[in-house]
């Protein structure tokens, strides 16, 4: 399993636009084969910071995701709403289960 975690700070005046783009992206991505979850959440301390947590079955599914039309549209939307960069970390998980 591959897990991706990203953090994005958006311009306050673009927050609603960012939310709309994230909702479209999440819905389209969750329909992709190989996607386990794709979740955006708002930071509790700063409502203009969003966290993205995604889980993928395998590398092929993740690479296919990067070339979808909804990914291209989302990248375009990010260019108008982001403040700075979007730090992203990839994790490769060899085992998992309940805590």
């Amino acid at each position: 399993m591959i897990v991706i975690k990203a953090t994005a700070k958006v311009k306050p005046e673009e927050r609603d636009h960012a939310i709309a783009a994230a909702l479209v992206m999440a819905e389209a991505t969750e329909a992709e084969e190989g996607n386990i979850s794709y979740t955006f959440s708002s930071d509790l301390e700063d409502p203009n910071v969003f966290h993205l947590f995604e889980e993928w079955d395998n590398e092929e599914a993740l690479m296919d995701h990067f070339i979808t039309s909804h990914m291209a549209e989302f990248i375009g939307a990010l260019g108008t709403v982001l403040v700075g960069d979007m730090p992203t970390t990839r994790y490769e998980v060899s085992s998992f289960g309940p805590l």
Side-chain angles (χ1 to χ4, degrees), residues 14-94:
E14 294 292 336
R15 187 174 191 278
D16 289 343
H17 184 229
I19 290 170
L23 289 170
V24 168
M25 181 64 170
E27 182 177 1
T29 300
E30 288 172 344
E32 290 181 48
E33 181 145 349
N35 178 258
I36 300 167
S37 70
Y38 200 86
T39 306
F40 288 93
S41 60
S42 180
D43 192 272
L44 296 176
E45 292 181 357
D46 184 343
N48 296 313
V49 171
F50 292 90
H51 303 282
L52 170 60
F53 181 83
E54 42 186 296
E55 297 172 299
W56 296 91
D57 281 334
N58 54 51
E59 180 77 15
E60 182 181 2
L62 180 59
M63 292 300 108
D64 288 347
H65 167 66
F66 289 141
I67 60 172
T68 62
S69 59
H70 54 271
M71 177 58 118
E73 291 172 17
F74 185 65
I75 295 294
L78 286 178
T80 65
V81 302
L82 281 184
V83 174
D85 60 355
M86 187 170 154
T88 304
T89 304
R90 172 192 170 126
Y91 303 89
E92 293 190 28
V93 179
S94 59

